[in-house]
Amino acid sequence: MLSNHFQNGIETAKLVWSRLPNSEEEGETGGDLDDDITFRKLSEGSSESLDYEVIENYAYRKEQSQRGKLYVGYYVAVKWFFALLIGIGTGLAAVFINIAVENFAGWKFAATFAIIQKSYLLGFLVYILINLALVFSSVCIITQFAPAAAGSGIPEIKGYLNGVDTHGILLFRTLVGKIFGSIGSVGGGLALGKEGPLVHTGACIASLLGQGGSTKYHLSLRWLQVFKSDRDRRDLVTCGCAAGVAAAFRAPVGGVLFALEEVTSWWRSQLMWRVFFTSAIVAVVVRTAMGWCKSGKCGHFGSGGFIIWDISGGQDDYSFEELLPMAIIGVIGGLLGALFNQLTLYISYWRRTYLHKKGNRVKIIEACLISLITSIISFGLPLLRECSPCPEAEANSDIECPRPPGMYGNYVNFFCSKDKEYNDLATIFFNTQDDAIRNLFSAKTFHEYSAQSLLTFLVMFYTLAVVTFGTAVPAGQFVPGIMIGSTYGRLVGMFVVNFYKKLNIEEGTYALLGAASFLGGSMRMTVSLCVIMVEITNNLKLLPLIMLVLLISKAVGDAFNEGLYEEQASLRGIPLLDSKPKYQMRTMTAKEACRTQKVVYFPRVIKVADLVSMLRTNKHNGFPVVERARNGESVVIGLILRSHLLVLLQSKLDFQHSPMPCDLAGGSIPIRHNLGEFVKPVSSKGLSIRDIHLTSDDLEMYIDLAPFLNPSPYVVPEDMSLTKVYNLFRQLGLRHIFVVPRASRVIGLITRKDLLIEEHEESETLELQSTSVRDRRPGKRVARGADSEQPLLDGLLVQR
């Protein structure tokens, strides 16, 4: 009977396996498409630049003129309401992930410890199978349902906020895959964390709210579809990133600083307030959930469910003699962090170039094989260690040795012959990563770990983290980095305790500094990471020491390579613009940067057939529009986007029989389009010229492009230095910038005073301050220079 069931199970597994797609193309084209998107590999160029510039065309200005103060107030109120929803949604997602991970891990450890009382071999098999099932579910979700949910997602989100939209990263299916895939990969015991995926989760929630939901799954609400520009969506995604960090670490201020320092390329004070408000909401939601779960309503989830390592009762002070070993910890963190970045870069490149091109089955086999190796190491290595006798318990200590089976905490009894013994290596392995870090950070636990056990764990976990990073599962590197750093930090602390026998030194303090040093050496964060470490440890006295090791580790790491996210973004083909231009750009001009390009431009009124032919023969996304002036010269009147042209071709509403231009000055041109029609859905390719179907009669019609072009694109002279162009391009979030010959005329000059507005209460009008100091005598104009100090000369320079 049992053999029949076993045989049926094997046949079912074979049937399921045979139905799995064997290549990326099969997996992409065989299922439903989300928002008409076909997921393609990032190496094939599946990213597109974003345009954070407001396109002030005729239609936009006419719509803005029809809106009053009431709409402006509604617009601001909706932004704050969305910030509230982002905070609540991200907090609830974090609570759900943590409860699921803690319960799966709790059931796994409880079942394992219950079975090993009878048979270690059977317990070993159960432990492996549970981990394998969880990892298998995670990798199947990623490969079959949400390919864009693999990895941490932070390089892609950083690219999005930098102006690069990678297809598929902010879809609803990516959000679902990120949540459930994180539960499987982290609960399955892989050397990964859930904190990076939480940042991606918060960004997905923010993006979905910004576009009103998902039309594919009928979750779209029209009244939420307020934000129709890339700039507004960027602000929401920034709030989501900060909310993800705040939810992962219960560090609202750290979340704000993470968004400011690490992921965003552009910032303003209004955004700061909304990001801070979102992070505060997350902190309230998480704390409320933890308080509700402490009563035992959440299964195995307890106070250890969220990352909060309170070491406020640890080391109170430090001496001058300790600064040298702390500086050594910073150097070690910089070296190991740089090595980690380089190794993960090499392995990820090999995966993407050779291994993952063989199809989804190879990805599944790879993840399951790594899960098997991880389970064997985490179960087998503690068996090789001898147990240690429990230390004498202090009167006011709540630490129990050995701890009860299935509970989190220090001193795990694993393969020990006596009751009052514990296995120090099992204390690290047979815990969730959050609980293991809490043990390494713990105070008043002198000599809990031996140097051999810490060194063994450091080598094995470092290797596992390097090999596991890049598999087809959601993977964060915050917590594995803290695990690695706290291990060698505690190891250094043990030597310091033995060397300075008279000082009040805690090994857990050095574990904290080691964790900060490795994250600084790998991710190259400073301010945000410093605040996060202080918030999660609840010990402000260690702030100067954390700052010291972070500065040293970052300086050492920068001497070898770039940060982890920058390296991975470069590998994925995400063209990030760094905060500062390259040194070589100082000697280059704007003309030299674009001299190899062939400019493709359109006349103002163009025949539909010519427009279609131009769009089919090139892949440009922006086109200058020119018009012949009265003197016969061609004048550039604006910039038209490919996406706008495709909308015009598909709707056919603006086709006209005559090649004559329309009169924009009269203001009587009807606007037949909603501005939302011109907005490309987030993380999608939008319309393609292949989607446009025109008849022969349509091709003989004309289109006047003037109402839909951007009449005021950013323009730079041809001899401007490329450094200046770079800073302008990045800080304004541009997608296109025109390079023109040096202007021959000046029609005006603006100073600070021209940008100040005065409100006149009696007339309820607005007036520029500069107009109040002009000489208003009829027929007379006053010229002024850029540095003029005389009020009567602060007028407008006009040359006709």
Side-chain angles (χ1 to χ4, degrees):
M1 187 71 177
L2 183 61
S3 62
N4 292 337
H5 286 294
F6 184 72
Q7 185 67 26
N8 292 336
I10 293 178
E11 295 298 331
T12 304
K14 289 182 178 179
L15 180 62
V16 172
W17 181 262
S18 65
R19 293 179 177 177
L20 291 178
N22 193 31
S23 65
E24 290 287 342
E25 289 74 13
E26 293 178 29
E28 292 166 357
T29 60
D32 294 333
L33 300 182
D34 190 359
D35 299 329
D36 296 326
I37 295 170
T38 300
F39 289 99
R40 296 194 177 114
K41 291 173 286 186
L42 296 177
S43 58
E44 295 178 355
S46 62
S47 61
E48 184 177 349
S49 296
L50 295 167
D51 194 355
Y52 292 143
E53 179 187 3
V54 177
I55 304 201
E56 297 179 341
N57 53 25
Y58 175 82
Y60 172 82
R61 293 178 176 178
K62 188 171 184 179
E63 183 178 284
Q64 291 296 314
S65 64
Q66 297 173 354
R67 295 174 177 176
K69 292 185 177 180
L70 182 62
Y71 180 83
V72 175
Y74 168 75
Y75 188 73
V76 174
V78 170
K79 282 187 176 181
W80 284 94
F81 179 65
F82 274 28
L84 173 67
L85 294 181
I86 293 169
I88 295 175
T90 307
L92 293 177
V95 170
F96 175 74
I97 292 174
N98 276 277
I99 289 177
V101 168
E102 288 290 314
N103 277 282
F104 277 122
W107 295 331
K108 176 180 64 179
F109 291 133
T112 302
F113 275 98
I115 295 175
I116 62 176
Q117 302 299 326
K118 301 178 181 178
S119 172
Y120 272 92
L121 179 60
L122 187 58
F124 175 59
L125 292 176
V126 170
Y127 181 76
I128 287 179
L129 290 177
I130 294 177
N131 284 336
L132 199 59
L134 290 171
V135 173
F136 180 77
S137 66
S138 175
V139 70
C140 283
I141 290 173
I142 298 304
T143 55
Q144 309 304 317
F145 181 70
S152 68
I154 293 181
E156 289 82 2
I157 298 302
K158 186 173 182 177
Y160 181 88
L161 296 178
N162 192 260
V164 182
D165 187 11
T166 304
H167 301 138
I169 62 168
L170 295 174
L171 299 179
F172 178 74
R173 65 163 59 191
T174 304
L175 172 63
V176 175
K178 209 73 177 182
I179 292 175
F180 289 97
S182 299
I183 294 173
S185 61
V186 179
L190 293 180
L192 303 170
K194 55 184 179 294
E195 289 66 38
L198 268 176
V199 176
H200 194 175
T201 299
C204 288
I205 293 174
S207 177
L208 290 170
L209 285 172
Q211 63 180 354
S214 173
T215 56
K216 162 72 177 178
Y217 298 99
H218 306 288
L219 299 174
S220 179
L221 298 176
R222 185 173 297 276
W223 67 275
L224 288 177
Q225 299 174 4
V226 180
F227 304 110
K228 301 173 182 178
S229 68
D230 290 335
R231 175 177 295 195
D232 291 331
R233 290 175 179 174
R234 175 188 61 182
D235 293 348
L236 292 176
V237 171
T238 304
C239 292
C241 291
V245 175
F249 296 101
R250 277 183 58 189
V253 180
V256 176
L257 294 177
F258 175 83
L260 172 62
E261 178 186 8
E262 187 62 23
V263 294
T264 58
S265 303
W266 187 79
W267 199 262
R268 66 181 190 273
S269 57
Q270 299 94 326
L271 180 60
M272 171 77 80
W273 279 107
R274 287 199 298 274
V275 170
F276 184 76
F277 174 71
T278 305
S279 300
I281 294 298
V282 171
V284 172
V285 172
V286 170
R287 181 169 291 275
T288 303
M290 288 189 64
W292 185 72
C293 286
K294 281 184 178 179
S295 59
K297 299 178 181 178
C298 302
H300 288 271
F301 181 82
S303 61
F306 275 90
I307 298 178
I308 181 71
W309 305 302
D310 192 346
I311 60 172
S312 56
Q315 186 171 339
D316 295 330
D317 200 3
Y318 50 91
S319 61
F320 181 78
E321 290 86 351
E322 293 181 72
L323 295 181
L324 178 59
M326 291 175 180
I328 293 175
I329 288 179
V331 174
I332 295 174
L335 294 175
L336 291 181
L339 178 62
F340 182 87
N341 293 356
Q342 205 64 35
L343 292 176
T344 53
L345 180 65
Y346 289 150
I347 295 178
S348 298
Y349 176 79
W350 176 77
R351 276 195 178 103
R352 298 174 63 84
T353 307
Y354 303 104
L355 188 62
H356 286 180
K357 283 189 174 182
K358 297 181 180 179
N360 287 334
R361 291 185 182 180
V362 175
K363 295 181 181 179
I364 296 174
I365 294 174
E366 178 198 23
C368 292
L369 184 61
I370 292 177
S371 173
L372 183 63
I373 295 173
T374 304
S375 300
I376 293 174
I377 291 175
S378 59
F379 196 98
L381 282 181
L383 295 176
L384 304 178
R385 288 291 303 162
E386 295 182 358
C387 293
S388 304
C390 289
E392 295 182 3
E394 298 182 5
N396 58 348
S397 177
D398 56 351
I399 298 177
E400 184 178 358
C401 180
R403 73 172 195 194
M407 300 295 291
Y408 65 90
N410 300 67
Y411 303 114
V412 174
N413 187 318
F414 183 79
F415 203 64
C416 297
S417 58
K418 298 180 180 179
D419 293 337
K420 285 297 181 179
E421 289 184 340
Y422 73 99
N423 191 316
D424 59 347
L425 198 53
T427 302
I428 307 177
F429 275 119
F430 279 90
N431 271 306
T432 60
Q433 294 180 9
D434 298 350
D435 295 333
I437 295 170
R438 186 177 292 103
N439 295 343
L440 292 169
F441 282 2
S442 61
K444 312 301 180 184
T445 54
F446 293 104
H447 310 299
E448 178 182 359
Y449 304 98
S450 64
Q452 296 87 348
S453 295
L454 290 178
L455 191 59
T456 301
F457 178 79
L458 174 63
V459 173
M460 298 309 301
F461 193 82
Y462 191 95
T463 305
L464 289 174
V466 169
V467 173
T468 308
F469 186 80
T471 53
V473 294
Q477 283 303 311
F478 272 103
V479 168
I482 295 175
M483 286 278 288
I484 294 170
S486 59
T487 303
Y488 69 75
R490 181 137 187 154
L491 195 59
V492 173
M494 292 174 59
F495 289 108
V496 175
V497 169
N498 293 329
F499 189 79
Y500 301 112
K501 297 184 181 298
K502 296 182 180 180
L503 296 177
N504 182 22
I505 299 174
E506 287 284 355
E507 298 172 2
T509 301
Y510 284 82
L512 167 66
L513 298 179
S517 70
F518 185 83
L519 291 180
S522 176
M523 299 178 183
R524 312 293 159 78
M525 296 187 299
T526 53
V527 180
S528 58
L529 184 58
C530 183
V531 174
I532 289 174
M533 298 304 292
V534 170
E535 284 188 282
I536 63 180
T537 55
N538 196 24
N539 194 335
L540 192 59
K541 296 179 181 179
L542 300 179
L543 179 61
L545 303 180
I546 297 175
M547 294 172 64
L548 173 67
V549 298
L550 280 176
L551 290 174
I552 294 175
S553 63
K554 184 181 187 303
V556 173
D558 285 339
F560 294 95
N561 50 32
E562 293 184 334
L564 178 66
Y565 300 138
E566 288 77 14
E567 294 278 5
Q568 294 297 320
S570 177
L571 178 64
R572 288 166 166 77
I574 301 174
L576 291 180
L577 295 181
D578 297 331
S579 58
K580 59 181 180 179
K582 301 296 183 183
Y583 181 80
Q584 295 83 349
M585 291 184 178
R586 297 170 183 261
T587 59
M588 300 177 64
T589 63
K591 184 178 181 180
E592 293 175 348
C594 63
R595 62 186 176 185
T596 59
Q597 300 177 4
K598 181 181 179 181
V599 180
V600 179
Y601 61 89
F602 294 146
R604 172 178 171 174
V605 181
I606 185 172
K607 194 174 183 180
V608 174
D610 297 335
L611 178 60
V612 172
S613 176
M614 297 285 279
L615 292 177
R616 285 177 176 171
T617 54
N618 66 80
K619 297 182 179 179
H620 297 309
N621 287 288
F623 304 91
V625 179
V626 300
E627 186 178 23
R628 191 167 297 278
R630 294 179 180 178
N631 58 3
E633 296 182 357
S634 296
V635 180
V636 178
I637 62 173
L639 171 72
I640 189 76
L641 298 180
R642 171 185 283 266
S643 59
H644 289 196
L645 293 173
L646 293 174
V647 171
L648 296 178
L649 290 175
Q650 187 184 50
S651 66
K652 306 179 185 180
L653 296 177
D654 299 278
F655 289 3
Q656 60 186 39
H657 295 281
S658 171
M660 298 300 295
C662 55
D663 182 18
L664 295 179
S668 59
I669 301 176
I671 301 300
R672 305 178 182 89
H673 300 275
N674 184 352
L675 291 181
E677 299 177 21
F678 296 97
V679 178
K680 181 180 73 69
V682 67
S683 296
S684 72
K685 291 185 177 298
L687 279 175
S688 171
I689 188 63
R690 296 185 297 271
D691 303 327
I692 308 299
H693 303 286
L694 300 172
T695 64
S696 57
D697 294 335
D698 294 333
L699 296 176
E700 297 300 321
M701 305 281 281
Y702 295 88
I703 299 181
D704 186 356
L705 303 179
F708 308 100
L709 56 80
N710 183 6
S712 53
Y714 285 91
V715 178
V716 298
E718 60 182 346
D719 56 351
M720 178 182 283
S721 70
L722 198 56
T723 298
K724 202 170 183 179
V725 176
Y726 183 97
N727 291 328
L728 179 68
F729 199 95
R730 184 181 187 276
Q731 292 172 8
L732 295 178
L734 304 180
R735 186 175 185 180
H736 306 94
I737 195 166
F738 283 175
V739 179
V740 299
R742 178 162 290 280
S744 59
R745 295 188 303 158
V746 178
I747 66 170
L749 191 149
I750 294 177
T751 64
R752 182 184 298 270
K753 188 171 290 186
D754 295 305
L755 303 177
L756 299 177
I757 294 179
E758 291 182 343
E759 294 189 12
H760 299 275
E761 296 181 357
E762 61 277 4
S763 60
E764 296 185 357
T765 60
L766 299 177
E767 187 178 62
L768 291 172
Q769 282 194 8
S770 58
T771 61
S772 63
V773 296
R774 288 179 186 167
D775 188 344
R776 299 182 179 178
R777 284 176 290 175
K780 184 174 181 179
R781 295 188 179 95
V782 180
R784 61 112 188 263
D787 298 320
S788 176
E789 297 290 338
Q790 301 180 12
L792 290 178
L793 295 181
D794 200 3
L796 181 66
L797 175 65
V798 180
Q799 281 188 344
R800 295 295 184 187

